[in-house]
Amino acid sequence: MRAWRVWGAFAVAWLPVAALAEAPGEPRSTRFLGLDAAFDGVHLSAGFDLSPWRGADGRGFTLRATAGTGLSRFRIDPALPDRVSETVTSARLLAGWREQGTWGSATLFAGLAMEARRLSPALPDPHLGTRLGPALVLDAWLTPADRVAVQVHATYATPFDAASLRIAPGYRVASGVHVGPEATLSAHHGTLRTRLGLHVTGITIGPVGLRLSGGYARDRGGGGGVYGGLSLWRDY
């Protein structure tokens, strides 16, 4: 029996756009918060980046810690009327290195991931319990042309084989604000979900940065519907 869920793959996917706005050469801590809602559930995530030893050229060592929790309801079998509830809790502790140049910036992280997955009512599913294992994350902000930036966020964690890739090009419509399409592909314990939508990245409200996104999500189990995301970050 397999549940067509991929919440674990989103545990970090909506997090730091924050690093994209960092000024090089300054000791920096960035805190971030993400809320993701889709047709079948909701996910909340939070964390921080710490870069106390970054050089004046923007290159340097970065630490990241994240945690997330999500709740969704779905049918194990689309042909059956009964729904089950799934709860996922995850955490990651990562260390990475950031490179920066005229092409943009990219940070590659490696570390440890924990994920706990529960179903209610309890059903015989091999993809349940608490697992611990290595994880990789790539965050990139690429600038291939004037006024154009491309966000790339890729993750892989061995617990439940959680992986995701999001690509979001954007056109600068105002100072620091980019608007454009986004596409996300995520996998989790053999399942697959796709998302197509739009994003607005870089709105500022006082010291807080903001990213909004929304569109259509579909999973391999046959379900589909709208999704929406909100990311907030602040530099210290």
Side-chain angles (χ1 to χ4, degrees), residues 37-102:
F39 64 96
D40 54 357
V42 62
H43 189 275
L44 179 67
S45 52
F48 67 87
D49 283 355
L50 181 63
S51 309
W53 306 290
R54 181 168 299 162
D57 58 0
R59 302 168 66 246
F61 182 70
T62 300
L63 294 173
R64 174 174 293 176
T66 66
T69 185
L71 175 66
S72 61
R73 284 183 57 79
F74 59 95
R75 292 184 177 90
I76 289 287
D77 187 333
L80 299 178
D82 295 335
R83 292 177 178 268
V84 299
S85 296
E86 179 193 59
T87 303
V88 173
T89 303
S90 62
R92 295 182 184 182
L93 183 60
L94 307 165
W97 183 268
R98 184 184 186 193
E99 287 288 337
Q100 180 168 297
T102 56

Side-chain angles (χ1 to χ4, degrees), residues 69-167:
T69 185
L71 175 66
S72 61
R73 284 183 57 79
F74 59 95
R75 292 184 177 90
I76 289 287
D77 187 333
L80 299 178
D82 295 335
R83 292 177 178 268
V84 299
S85 296
E86 179 193 59
T87 303
V88 173
T89 303
S90 62
R92 295 182 184 182
L93 183 60
L94 307 165
W97 183 268
R98 184 184 186 193
E99 287 288 337
Q100 180 168 297
T102 56
W103 49 268
S105 65
T107 309
L108 179 63
F109 293 93
L112 197 61
M114 181 281 297
E115 183 170 327
R117 182 171 180 263
R118 303 285 186 270
L119 291 180
S120 178
L123 297 172
D125 189 323
H127 304 284
L128 295 176
T130 301
R131 300 186 184 181
L132 189 70
L136 293 172
V137 175
L138 172 66
D139 273 331
W141 177 262
L142 309 177
T143 53
D146 185 40
R147 302 181 70 90
V148 175
V150 181
Q151 302 167 44
V152 179
H153 182 82
T155 73
Y156 176 73
T158 55
F160 301 107
D161 287 328
S164 68
L165 172 64
R166 184 183 74 215
I167 300 176

